[in-house]
C-alpha cells in the first residue's frame, strides 16, 4: 500500500474510534470462555488495547495484566471505569515480558497478524510460552484466511451498509510475504475516512508449527467461543495451546 507506514497503526485517530468499530457482538462469549480457561488464575493479554476484553474479564473475577505497543490505545483504556487497575507493560508483544507467569495468556481478534513476519509470529508464541505457568494455556483467536483464494488476490469487501453510512475494505494480498494490505473506507454524511492496516495471514497448521518451535502443543481447537466444532466451513479458530511436557 503506497505511502503506508505500519508503525502509524493504532495511533490517536484509530484509538478514538476503535471501540465503536471493533465491537463484534461476541464479547460476552469471549469473556466467558477466557474466564473458564483462567480457572481463577491470573491472565495476561497480548495487545490489550483499549481493554475491550480485559476490563469485562476483570469484572468477571480474573486479574488481568496487559502488553501493548500503542500508548494511545492504553490511554483510552485508562479513561474507562476500572482502566487504571490493569497493569500494562509497554512494548512489542513478541519481545517484552512482565517477569510474571500466568495461568492464561491470550491474543484475540486476529491481532497476531499485526506481526508482519513469520519470525515475529514465532517469537510471539515463544513469549507466550515464557509467561505460562506449568499448567497454563495460550489462547489464540484468528480468522481463517480467505485472501489467498480470491481472484487476482485483490478485491473489495462490503463491511457495513446503512442508509447513511457505507464501509468497505479495499484489499491486496501478496502470496510471497503472506501480507494483506487493507484500506477500510468509511463513507458517510461527513465525507470519506480511510483506515489502512497491514496483516500477515497464516493458516492454523502454520500456527501449530510455530507453537511446536516455541515448546507448545495444541490442546484444543474450536470454531468459536462456544466451543463449536472446527470444520472446513469455520471462518475462524479458537486454538488452545499448552506447554509441551
Amino acid at each position: 500500500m503506497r505511502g503506508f507506514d505500519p508503525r502509524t497503526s493504532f495511533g490517536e485517530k484509530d484509538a478514538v474510534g476503535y471501540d465503536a468499530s471493533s465491537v463484534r457482538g461476541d464479547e460476552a462469549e469471549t469473556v466467558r470462555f477466557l474466564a473458564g480457561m483462567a480457572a481463577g488464575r491470573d491472565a495476561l493479554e497480548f495487545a490489550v488495547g483499549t481493554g475491550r476484553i480485559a476490563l469485562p474479564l476483570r469484572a468477571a473475577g480474573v486479574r488481568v495484566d496487559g502488553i501493548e505497543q500503542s500508548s494511545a490505545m492504553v490511554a483510552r483504556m485508562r479513561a474507562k471505569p476500572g482502566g487504571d487497575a490493569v497493569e500494562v507493560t509497554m512494548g512489542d508483544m513478541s519481545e517484552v515480558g512482565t517477569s510474571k507467569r500466568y495461568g492464561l495468556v491470550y491474543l484475540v481478534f486476529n491481532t497476531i497478524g499485526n506481526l508482519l513476519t513469520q519470525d515475529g509470529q514465532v517469537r510471539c508464541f515463544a513469549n507466550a510460552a515464557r509467561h505460562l505457568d506449568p499448567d497454563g494455556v495460550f489462547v489464540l483467536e484468528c480468522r481463517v484466511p480467505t485472501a489467498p483464494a480470491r481472484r487476482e488476490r485483490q478485491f473489495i469487501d462490503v463491511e457495513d451498509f446503512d442508509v447513511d453510512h457505507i464501509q468497505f475494505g479495499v484489499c491486496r494480498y501478496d502470496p510471497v510475504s503472506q501480507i494483506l494490505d487493507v484500506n477500510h473506507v468509511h463513507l458517510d454524511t461527513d465525507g470519506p475516512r480511510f483506515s489502512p492496516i497491514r496483516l500477515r495471514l497464516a493458516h492454523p497448521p502454520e500456527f501449530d508449527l510455530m507453537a511446536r518451535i516455541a515448546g507448545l502443543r495444541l490442546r484444543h481447537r474450536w470454531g468459536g467461543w462456544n466451543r463449536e466444532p472446527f470444520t472446513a466451513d469455520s471462518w475462524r479458530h479458537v486454538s488452545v495451546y499448552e506447554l509441551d511436557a
Side-chain angles (χ1 to χ4, degrees), residues 103-227:
L104 169 67
V105 178
Y106 64 95
L107 177 57
V108 299
F109 205 29
N110 313 312
T111 309
I112 193 169
N114 290 326
L115 300 170
L116 298 178
T117 66
Q118 187 183 68
D119 284 347
Q121 293 178 352
V122 170
R123 287 197 302 272
C124 183
F125 274 84
N127 202 24
R130 285 192 293 271
H131 284 89
L132 285 180
D133 287 333
D135 60 346
V137 293
F138 174 44
V139 175
L140 174 70
E141 181 217 10
C142 196
R143 281 183 174 271
V144 177
T146 59
R150 301 294 287 267
R151 185 177 181 181
E152 297 180 355
R153 302 188 182 92
Q154 53 186 3
F155 50 94
I156 298 175
D157 280 340
V158 176
E159 300 171 340
D160 194 13
F161 196 162
D162 208 343
V163 66
D164 58 359
H165 172 78
I166 297 173
Q167 178 176 316
F168 54 93
V170 181
C171 310
R172 177 175 292 164
Y173 177 70
D174 180 353
V176 175
S177 62
Q178 297 176 222
I179 295 293
L180 177 68
D181 281 322
V182 184
N183 200 337
H184 298 285
V185 182
H186 312 256
L187 298 176
D188 56 27
T189 54
D190 294 326
R193 289 176 291 116
F194 303 94
S195 301
I197 192 169
R198 178 169 292 164
L199 301 167
R200 183 185 185 273
L201 307 185
H203 284 84
E206 185 179 356
F207 287 136
D208 294 347
L209 185 56
M210 293 180 190
R212 290 178 62 186
I213 293 170
L216 298 166
R217 64 184 178 189
L218 182 69
R219 177 190 290 182
H220 296 297
R221 173 166 290 130
W222 287 288
W225 294 115
N226 294 312
R227 292 176 168 80

Side-chain angles (χ1 to χ4, degrees), residues 1 3-11 14 69 114 116 179 181 196-199:
M1 192 172 351
F4 173 62
D5 183 351
R7 293 172 295 182
T8 64
S9 296
F10 305 106
D14 295 309
Q69 189 162 273
N114 290 326
L116 298 178
I179 295 293
D181 281 322
I197 192 169
R198 178 169 292 164
L199 301 167

Side-chain angles (χ1 to χ4, degrees), residues 32-95:
R32 187 162 53 246
F33 179 97
L34 294 173
M37 288 287 115
R41 300 168 297 177
D42 292 351
L44 172 64
E45 180 172 357
F46 283 0
V48 69
T50 64
R52 181 178 65 94
I53 300 300
L55 295 183
L57 188 56
R58 279 188 63 91
V62 179
R63 184 186 175 280
V64 183
D65 292 339
I67 292 176
E68 176 56 54
Q69 189 162 273
S70 168
S71 58
M73 298 286 275
V74 173
R76 297 293 293 181
M77 178 173 66
R78 297 294 189 222
K80 298 177 182 179
D84 287 334
V86 178
E87 186 175 320
V88 179
T89 300
M90 299 302 298
D92 186 331
M93 63 185 173
S94 71
E95 297 177 353

